[in-house]
């Protein structure tokens, strides 16, 4: 699904969905922080934030 997510949720120069150990929410949060979400990506993050405020940003996993 990473190719589909990369195509529809983020801009080409955004943080790519590629790490199998990273959550989708973490990758969305990194792209939200970078302002690299497409319209559909922004809608998805807005929906998640409605359920759990700042969900994507709070889900960011930083590498040690």
């Amino acid at each position: 699904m990473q190719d589909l997510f990369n195509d529809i949720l983020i801009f080409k120069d955004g943080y790519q969905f590629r790490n199998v150990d990273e959550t989708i929410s973490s990758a969305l949060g990194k792209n939200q922080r970078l302002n690299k979400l497409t319209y559909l990506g922004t809608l998805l993050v807005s929906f998640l934030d409605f359920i759990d405020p700042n969900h994507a940003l709070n889900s960011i996993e930083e590498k040690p």
Side-chain angles (χ1 to χ4, degrees):
M1 296 292 297
Q2 69 186 10
D3 292 331
L4 177 63
F5 290 163
N6 287 331
D7 288 343
I8 65 172
L9 298 177
I10 62 171
F11 295 122
K12 296 294 180 198
D13 61 341
Y15 179 82
Q16 300 289 302
F17 291 88
R18 64 175 167 256
N19 184 347
V20 296
D21 294 326
E22 182 175 35
T23 65
I24 295 168
S25 295
S26 175
L28 285 170
K30 289 176 182 177
N31 282 295
Q32 182 181 17
R33 189 171 55 186
L34 295 169
N35 200 29
K36 297 294 181 181
L37 292 172
T38 63
Y39 178 74
L40 188 57
T42 302
L43 283 177
L44 178 57
V45 168
S46 295
F47 175 73
L48 292 171
D49 285 347
F50 177 75
I51 296 169
D52 178 26
N54 294 315
H55 176 81
L57 292 175
N58 292 336
S59 299
I60 293 174
E61 300 169 10
E62 299 294 345
K63 291 182 180 180

